[in-house]
Amino acid sequence: MAKFQCLAEAVAENLKDGDSVAFEGFTHLIPHAVAHEVIRQGRKDLTVMRMTPDIIYDQLIGMGCVEKMIFSFAGNPGVGLLRRFRDSLENGWPLQVEIEEHSHAAMANAYEAGAAGLPCAIFRGYRGAELTRVNPNIKFIKCPFTGEELAAVPSLRPDVAVIHAQRANAKGDVFIEGITGVQKEAVLAAKRSIVTVEEIVDDFGGISPNATVLPSWTVTSVVAVPGGAHPSYTQGYYGRDNAAYIEWDKVSSDRDSFTAWMEENVLKQGPEVFETRVAHLKNAG
């Protein structure tokens, strides 16, 4: 059953050095607050996974938290490169990250297979794809019923899944609306999960119980972190901070400017900074 905690407690209890962790969210509801707490607690040797890793992965890699990344497409959305990720790959700074690259379809199917307790995902895809040359975890099998050649990849079953959502109720049920990616599948596939939310309410009111995306028994920790997805957006609460993504390209282009920004904006800050940033964003709008 879900346990209500503060952010520092949730990360300390659920995520250890060497764990595999999925920080999921697609365009929307990206769990920045938890990633920053992971950096503050100095976690190392993590295997991180995500569809479309963006700047929180750039930050985790640049701070030396990551040993390996399993992903499909990586970039600063709408802006360009992940510069700390590239520096790690090309120059080994601060560490040489290992990569396992997949298509979006492969990642989505792998999470779903993990949620179902299956050892691999089987789907149509990867025919003629060049990723098969560099990723030995892409295999092909023959359907025993039709003879069709199908792709197979290992299921994704992270030690910890991290997501952000709009609300949790007093029982620990989690409600998500708007654009979703594979948050539900990642949580169901994981051994443990941390869900940050904009607010905790007594109940969801007139919302149909069928709309509850994650019942409390699927969630390990629930943490109230208003603004916890900033600079991504949370539908119904705040919009995307496009200026922050543009700024990140400049900040991350240089090792010294990156280190100084992380010191000032992550290492010296707590989760309350997210609420302050969102308030500024709303005032500016």
Side-chain angles (χ1 to χ4, degrees), residues 3-36:
K3 183 178 182 180
F4 293 95
Q5 295 183 288
C6 73
L7 187 57
E9 291 173 339
V11 171
E13 287 188 14
N14 290 298
L15 186 63
K16 308 300 180 186
D17 290 352
D19 276 352
S20 59
V21 53
F23 297 88
E24 279 297 344
F26 196 79
T27 302
H28 169 237
L29 299 171
I30 298 169
H32 285 261
V34 179
H36 285 185

Side-chain angles (χ1 to χ4, degrees), residues 28-29 164-167 175-179 198-199 227 229 232-240 278 281-282:
H28 169 237
L29 299 171
H164 188 74
Q166 277 93 351
R167 295 184 289 282
F175 175 71
I176 305 175
E177 61 182 342
I179 294 174
E198 292 295 322
E199 59 179 331
S232 74
Y233 74 98
T234 296
Q235 180 171 309
Y237 289 82
Y238 47 90
R240 188 178 190 269
V278 168
L281 179 64
K282 289 180 177 178

Side-chain angles (χ1 to χ4, degrees), residues 100-102 126 130-139:
E100 181 179 326
E101 186 174 1
H102 285 284
Y126 281 138
E130 292 191 353
L131 277 177
T132 58
R133 301 179 187 177
V134 296
N135 186 346
N137 276 334
I138 299 170
K139 307 289 186 183

Side-chain angles (χ1 to χ4, degrees), residues 53-231:
D54 63 356
I55 66 176
I56 61 170
Y57 282 69
D58 217 24
Q59 293 168 0
L60 288 159
I61 289 168
M63 294 301 287
C65 301
V66 178
E67 179 178 54
K68 179 179 179 179
M69 184 163 74
I70 304 169
F71 70 105
S72 56
F73 175 81
N76 182 346
V79 180
L81 301 172
L82 290 180
R83 298 184 183 275
R84 294 301 90 220
F85 174 43
R86 182 168 182 172
D87 197 10
S88 174
L89 280 178
E90 295 182 350
N91 305 305
W93 192 92
L95 300 169
Q96 187 79 51
V97 66
E98 179 186 351
I99 62 171
E100 181 179 326
E101 186 174 1
H102 285 284
S103 67
H104 285 343
M107 291 288 289
N109 277 280
Y111 276 124
E112 189 168 18
L118 297 172
C120 68
I122 300 169
F123 60 103
R124 290 189 175 96
Y126 281 138
R127 293 177 183 174
E130 292 191 353
L131 277 177
T132 58
R133 301 179 187 177
V134 296
N135 186 346
N137 276 334
I138 299 170
K139 307 289 186 183
F140 292 93
I141 64 171
K142 184 176 288 187
C143 174
F145 303 104
T146 67
E148 180 182 3
E149 185 181 64
L150 299 169
V153 297
S155 62
L156 291 175
R157 305 193 72 180
D159 293 310
V160 185
V162 179
I163 67 169
H164 188 74
Q166 277 93 351
R167 295 184 289 282
N169 65 16
K171 298 177 183 178
D173 303 322
V174 174
F175 175 71
I176 305 175
E177 61 182 342
I179 294 174
T180 56
V182 290
Q183 291 100 311
K184 178 176 71 174
E185 291 80 3
V187 168
L188 294 177
K191 297 175 185 175
R192 302 178 296 281
S193 57
I194 301 170
V195 181
T196 53
V197 294
E198 292 295 322
E199 59 179 331
I200 297 170
V201 297
D202 289 336
D203 60 58
F204 296 137
I207 296 172
S208 167
N210 289 334
T212 301
V213 175
L214 291 165
S216 61
W217 57 268
T218 67
V219 177
T220 309
S221 295
V222 173
V223 186
V225 185
H230 179 269

